[in-house]
Amino acid sequence: MHIKIESERRRGLRIIDEIPDMPLCKIQGHNGIGKTNAIKLLSLCTGANPFRGDAAAWASFKSQLLAARVKISGLRDGETLEWDLEPSLWPDDPGEPLDDTIGALLINGRKANLRDVSEILRVHHIVAAETPQNVLAGRVLEAQKDIQGWDSQRQFRVDSMDEHLASVHALITHVSPEKIASEVLAAKEARIRATSLTERRETATERMGLLQRAKQVSDQLVEVRGQGPEMDAKLEELKNQLEAIERKKEELNNRIAEASARQHQDAEAEREFANAQKYLDRHDRAARNARIALDMLAASAEVDPERDVIDAAIGEASAKLTELTELLPQVHAAPLVLEVLDDLVRRLSEAERENLGHAALLEGDGGSTDWTVSSLREALSRQREILGQRTPSADAARLSDEIEKTRDRLYSLAQAKDTLAEFEAAESALSKAQVRLRNAAEGLPEQAARTLDDLMGARNELDQEAAKVQTRHARLTHTRELLGGGLDEESLSAELAQLCKQLGVKISRIHSQVASEAEKFEEIVRAETQAVQQAERAQQSLERRERETEQVLLQLQTAEELGWVRNAVDIAQVSSMNLEQKAAFLCSVSAQLDRARNRLHLIDEAVRGTGTALSRLQAGLQTGTGQEDAETPYDRAARHWLGREVQRWFEDEFVRKALFEGGDRVRLDAHDMSIVWVNQNGEEERRPLTGFSSGQQVLAYTQAQIAKIDAEELPAANRLIALDEFGAFLDWKNMSSLVNLLKVREPGVSRDQVVVILPLEEDRPSGHGDVPVDGQFRSLENRGYFAEELTT
């Protein structure tokens, strides 16, 4: 490869302008001419920073270099690289990557970036002044700097990743998916229990209905046996009285008709009187029927058949109905209140078991007393006992019955009021009929008129007496119908026997059985009410949780910022899952997020621990004192890593022959900074790092570094290997050995260009190419250095 460098710089900075295309190239020149700076600049062009760890040298280099243009041609496959460097854009910290701040970069004439260069070219700078001990310390320092560079951004990186993980974790845990399975089971069990109790209540309701009917029939049978015959006799007596009155009225009607027929002198007047009498009879029957209906309805509504009384009763019943309907929701809420009290008492009892009985829950305001855990639990327990004694479910049932009875009474009162209006209309019509009859009798002689008046008066008295008897008969009839439900003793006895057989209860135990089963029935009704409410709340809670779960899944499936979640888990599969499976899926994602967060913090801890371990290891290498026994796993890991690095550096056969006389199994003991190997006799030998001569160290280090470069796992298509500052450390013999090594490896690494940088010296033996010839003198005069192929 051919390298051309054009640079603009301030005084104090020198950079050679060319490295020719020679597989093995030697560059010799005056000190300070810029040979090493050229290699450092090329390292920068490939993305490495040779000033890393030396901020002062980096600041000086960056400030003195104004601009530079670098072109490398003759690369493998005919590629070319060109840089227009802009040092003013480079970061102040040599530990920061250059990336796009390096300047403009062209690969084969097309714009590119530093990441693309790493596959095409790498620059390796091997400085002979570094001993194995220094190199190891530098290698550790370099690793430590890498970790420090990461650690400088650690808080931001860790917090950012942790925030992303935590946000999704919080999104999932908000719906508590781990509780959904138990809530589904609880809702199912609540429904089953409510259904079971409803069935029990329906069965118990049917049985209680039969028991209540049996008790009613039993009571009616007792009433019928005690009062039925007497009432029947009285009704028969009243009926006979009504029939007698009707016969008397019929007789009077006939006498009135005969009297009017004898006394009338013309046929027209007779017809008018006859029609008036028929008209009176018709309205008399209508008024009598209206009276019967009114008396029956008034008896049913338990009021007198008077307008004021009926209106007052309607107002009273309406007010009572309003009061009862307003009370009903409170009674229905009682089971729920009982459940709340039970839950509070249970929680406060748990607090008491934790010795929190005297802890203040509510502080008094002014003169009021503070509420402690124990005092509040006692107050709630008393309230729960009081409310429990009210049997709210039975109260609700009784209240519903009373509301129904009040509505029935209001209906009867309304009918009585309407019938009263009909009766009043019938009375008015009857009065008009009586007036009409009197008018029709005006044509009679005086004596006949008086006779008719007497007869009409007697008739009116009979009407009034009939009305009174009819009222008593209606009321007694209503009472008799209520007595025994209108059934006679024989019918009631037969029904009671049938009911007792169906219920499996003796007739003599009907009343005690009703009382016994009524208490059980109230418990069943109360339990059912609470179970139904619990099932409804459990179902509502489950539906709410299902909606929340669907919202979380939708967000995971569609939110743009959560694409990284979808890359990690298969969200699409949830569409075919039921609620419990979706909850299990969310629990799995939540667990993965937890593990990821734990790994993140473990990695963070490991990086910081490794940095500390490398710092201790580097200090031991620099001082040559070794390292104390490790206190953490990170110290052991750091020593193990360094030992592997040393083993790789010294695994070259030539190095082992030169330094260890052909021994193998070379390793570093970091405790005392010594190299340990097994010689050809199988014996273990040990020598401190400082125990190698300078020539041995330089030669061994160089060979080890080259071997390491050859063994790299991801080699670039082209490599520039610069061996720097070897003249002061290698004598002619060792330099010849190095040249021979480079020539031996050359056929296998045709993609490499090796540059050996030497100072200009004239004290070496002649005949070995060290004394400049004419062309070299001219290059030295013009450029301060010369370049030629490396020979022995």
Side-chain angles (χ1 to χ4, degrees):
M1 68 184 74
H2 181 264
I3 301 171
K4 186 69 176 176
I5 302 174
E6 300 174 5
S7 60
E8 297 179 24
R9 56 197 182 277
R10 294 189 174 93
R11 292 183 62 183
L13 179 65
R14 303 286 297 277
I15 300 175
I16 64 174
D17 58 7
E18 183 181 15
I19 298 176
D21 187 4
M22 300 177 184
L24 295 177
C25 177
K26 177 179 71 175
I27 295 178
Q28 280 187 281
H30 298 296
N31 288 332
I33 197 64
K35 305 182 293 293
T36 298
N37 284 337
I39 302 303
K40 290 181 177 180
L41 185 64
L42 291 172
S43 294
L44 289 169
C45 288
T46 58
N49 194 331
F51 298 95
R52 192 171 187 177
D54 192 347
W58 168 248
S60 175
F61 184 85
K62 190 168 76 80
S63 64
Q64 292 184 13
L65 181 64
L66 302 179
R69 179 177 175 81
V70 179
K71 181 175 181 180
I72 301 178
S73 58
L75 298 168
R76 187 175 180 177
D77 298 329
E79 293 182 300
T80 61
L81 298 172
E82 297 178 75
W83 291 265
D84 280 327
L85 303 177
E86 299 183 34
S88 62
L89 301 178
W90 295 351
D92 294 332
D93 183 357
E96 293 185 26
L98 291 171
D99 296 332
D100 295 336
T101 62
I102 188 71
L105 169 61
L106 299 177
I107 298 178
N108 299 326
R110 294 188 295 272
K111 292 181 64 175
N113 55 55
L114 280 180
R115 290 186 297 274
D116 302 321
V117 175
S118 62
E119 298 180 0
I120 300 174
L121 174 65
R122 290 188 185 179
V123 176
H124 301 276
H125 191 187
I126 302 174
V127 182
E130 296 178 338
T131 65
Q133 181 177 346
N134 291 338
V135 169
L136 290 178
R139 182 71 183 92
V140 173
L141 179 62
E142 183 181 353
Q144 184 185 359
K145 293 289 185 182
D146 287 338
I147 289 179
Q148 287 177 345
W150 187 92
D151 193 56
S152 65
Q153 299 291 325
R154 175 187 61 81
Q155 194 64 40
F156 171 76
R157 291 173 178 174
V158 171
D159 288 351
S160 177
M161 288 187 286
D162 189 65
E163 182 179 350
H164 281 79
L165 292 169
S167 64
V168 179
H169 187 266
L171 178 68
I172 293 175
T173 55
H174 174 70
V175 298
S176 301
E178 71 281 358
K179 298 180 180 179
I180 289 179
S182 61
E183 290 183 358
V184 169
L185 180 61
K188 180 179 179 181
E189 290 177 348
R191 287 195 301 270
I192 293 173
R193 183 170 182 270
T195 301
S196 174
L197 285 170
T198 298
E199 292 174 354
R200 285 184 60 193
R201 193 261 307 157
E202 290 174 350
T203 302
T205 299
E206 183 179 357
R207 180 172 176 81
M208 279 304 300
L210 294 175
L211 281 169
Q212 292 288 358
R213 176 56 185 166
K215 179 178 177 295
Q216 181 185 19
V217 171
S218 177
D219 293 340
Q220 289 174 342
L221 188 58
V222 172
E223 291 176 350
V224 168
R225 286 172 178 165
Q227 303 180 39
E230 181 181 346
M231 287 187 178
D232 290 340
K234 186 64 176 177
L235 282 172
E236 186 64 26
E237 179 183 348
L238 292 173
K239 178 182 177 183
N240 292 333
Q241 288 182 14
L242 285 174
E243 290 176 353
I245 291 173
E246 286 299 319
R247 286 195 297 271
K248 289 180 180 180
K249 287 177 64 178
E250 185 64 28
E251 181 180 349
L252 285 174
N253 287 338
N254 292 333
R255 289 175 61 190
I256 290 170
E258 291 175 359
S260 63
R262 287 195 305 268
Q263 299 298 329
H264 271 83
Q265 297 179 359
D266 57 63
E268 183 63 27
E270 184 178 352
R271 283 195 301 275
E272 175 59 26
F273 186 84
N275 290 336
Q277 188 174 13
K278 292 178 182 178
Y279 182 76
L280 177 63
D281 290 340
R282 186 168 63 254
H283 284 285
D284 180 57
R285 287 193 299 273
R288 187 166 59 254
N289 292 335
R291 165 62 69 179
I292 293 172
L294 176 61
D295 288 339
M296 293 296 291
L297 287 171
S300 176
E302 300 178 354
V303 293
D304 293 333
E306 299 176 7
R307 183 170 296 278
D308 293 343
V309 175
I310 292 175
D311 288 341
I314 288 175
E316 179 183 348
S318 297
K320 183 178 181 181
L321 181 62
T322 301
E323 180 182 354
L324 292 174
T325 52
E326 289 177 351
L327 183 61
L328 188 60
Q330 301 176 25
V331 175
H332 278 300
L336 180 58
V337 174
L338 275 174
E339 185 178 354
V340 172
L341 289 173
D342 287 339
D343 187 53
L344 291 174
V345 169
R346 178 181 58 79
R347 292 178 179 271
L348 291 171
S349 299
E350 291 175 356
E352 285 183 311
R353 287 193 290 273
E354 297 295 331
N355 298 322
L356 296 175
H358 297 291
L361 286 179
L362 299 174
E363 294 184 357
D365 184 10
S368 59
T369 307
D370 291 349
W371 286 94
T372 64
V373 171
S374 295
S375 61
L376 185 58
R377 194 263 309 157
E378 292 171 359
L380 293 177
S381 297
R382 288 193 298 272
Q383 182 64 22
R384 193 257 178 262
E385 184 177 355
I386 293 171
L387 189 59
Q389 292 174 352
R390 296 178 183 174
T391 57
S393 56
D395 287 346
R398 285 193 290 270
L399 189 59
S400 297
D401 290 342
E402 193 169 355
I403 289 173
E404 190 64 29
K405 291 177 181 178
T406 305
R407 285 175 175 162
D408 290 342
R409 186 161 186 264
L410 267 175
Y411 177 74
S412 297
L413 287 169
Q415 284 189 314
K417 186 175 182 179
D418 293 340
T419 305
L420 178 61
E422 295 175 1
F423 172 71
E424 290 174 345
E427 284 280 296
S428 177
L430 180 60
S431 298
K432 292 179 180 179
Q434 291 173 341
V435 171
R436 178 180 174 183
L437 184 62
R438 289 193 183 92
N439 293 335
E442 288 181 353
L444 295 176
E446 182 178 354
Q447 182 62 38
R450 281 198 300 270
T451 300
L452 286 175
D453 285 340
D454 292 338
L455 292 175
M456 292 294 292
R459 177 191 170 90
N460 289 338
E461 291 176 357
L462 287 174
D463 286 338
Q464 293 174 2
E465 183 180 356
K468 293 178 182 179
V469 174
Q470 181 60 50
T471 298
R472 290 197 300 271
H473 186 274
R475 288 183 177 276
L476 190 58
T477 299
H478 177 71
T479 302
R480 182 62 181 84
E481 289 176 352
L482 293 177
L483 184 67
L487 300 177
D488 57 21
E489 182 176 350
E490 183 179 356
S491 300
L492 290 172
S493 297
E495 183 179 359
L496 181 59
Q498 177 62 31
L499 288 171
C500 289
K501 180 180 179 180
Q502 185 176 352
L503 292 167
V505 179
K506 294 181 179 180
I507 294 177
S508 60
R509 297 184 57 83
I510 283 294
H511 287 74
S512 60
Q513 192 71 22
V514 169
S516 173
E517 296 196 19
E519 184 176 351
K520 296 178 182 178
F521 177 72
E522 289 175 358
E523 288 296 329
I524 293 173
V525 172
R526 179 164 54 247
E528 183 211 9
T529 303
Q530 293 178 345
V532 170
Q533 291 176 344
Q534 288 174 347
E536 290 175 351
R537 288 197 302 277
Q539 185 61 33
Q540 291 170 358
S541 176
L542 192 61
E543 291 173 356
R544 181 176 64 254
R545 187 63 61 84
E546 185 171 12
R547 289 193 298 270
E548 292 173 349
T549 301
E550 292 297 336
Q551 291 173 357
V552 169
L553 289 172
L554 179 62
Q555 194 167 350
L556 291 176
Q557 289 173 318
T558 60
E560 184 177 352
E561 67 274 12
L562 298 181
W564 60 272
V565 178
R566 294 189 288 276
N567 291 334
V569 294
D570 183 11
I571 301 293
Q573 62 177 314
V574 302
S575 58
S576 59
M577 295 180 178
N578 58 32
L579 179 59
E580 291 181 85
Q581 292 170 331
K582 291 176 180 177
F585 173 80
L586 288 179
C587 286
S588 172
V589 175
S590 178
Q592 292 181 59
L593 290 168
D594 271 335
R595 290 193 294 270
R597 294 184 71 188
N598 290 335
R599 287 198 301 271
L600 174 63
H601 292 293
L602 287 174
I603 291 171
D604 180 38
E605 178 185 349
V607 170
R608 286 185 283 117
T610 302
T612 302
L614 288 174
S615 177
R616 296 174 57 190
L617 182 59
Q618 196 263 346
L621 285 168
Q622 283 187 329
T623 61
T625 59
Q627 186 181 16
E628 298 295 331
D629 290 339
E631 296 181 357
T632 69
Y634 303 115
D635 292 298
R636 292 191 292 272
R639 289 203 309 272
H640 179 70
W641 165 79
L642 185 61
R644 290 181 59 191
E645 290 291 301
V646 169
Q647 187 176 4
R648 283 165 48 195
W649 290 340
F650 292 147
E651 67 185 2
D652 182 81
E653 182 178 356
F654 183 85
V655 174
R656 292 200 303 272
K657 286 181 179 179
L659 298 182
F660 310 112
E661 299 177 352
D664 57 6
R665 285 179 278 176
V666 182
R667 62 183 176 84
L668 171 71
D669 188 339
H671 290 291
D672 58 6
M673 293 297 117
S674 62
I675 299 295
V676 181
W677 72 94
V678 177
N679 62 27
Q680 293 181 342
N681 297 325
E683 299 172 344
E684 186 176 88
E685 295 191 30
R686 180 184 298 265
R687 182 184 301 174
L689 280 173
T690 57
F692 294 92
S693 68
S694 297
Q696 286 179 313
Q697 288 182 346
V698 169
L699 182 60
Y701 166 66
T702 303
Q703 292 168 333
Q705 287 290 81
I706 292 174
K708 177 184 175 184
I709 293 171
D710 291 342
E712 67 179 352
E713 296 179 359
L714 297 173
N718 305 272
R719 295 188 300 197
L720 175 64
I721 302 174
L723 309 181
D724 199 359
E725 301 183 13
F726 282 84
F729 297 96
L730 294 180
D731 56 17
W732 176 83
K733 180 181 178 181
N734 285 328
M735 178 61 76
S736 297
S737 298
L738 176 62
V739 173
N740 289 333
L741 171 66
L742 295 175
K743 285 184 173 294
V744 168
R745 67 179 291 278
E746 182 182 0
V749 288
S750 58
R751 58 190 177 179
D752 288 356
Q753 180 164 334
V754 179
V755 178
V756 179
I757 299 174
L758 298 171
L760 185 62
E761 296 180 358
E762 299 181 3
D763 57 352
R764 298 200 175 193
S766 60
H768 296 284
D770 295 310
V771 179
V773 296
D774 291 342
Q776 295 170 344
F777 274 120
R778 285 193 297 272
S779 180
L780 282 171
E781 290 177 356
N782 296 332
R783 307 166 74 177
Y785 74 98
F786 66 87
E788 63 181 8
E789 289 193 11
L790 179 66
T791 59
T792 55

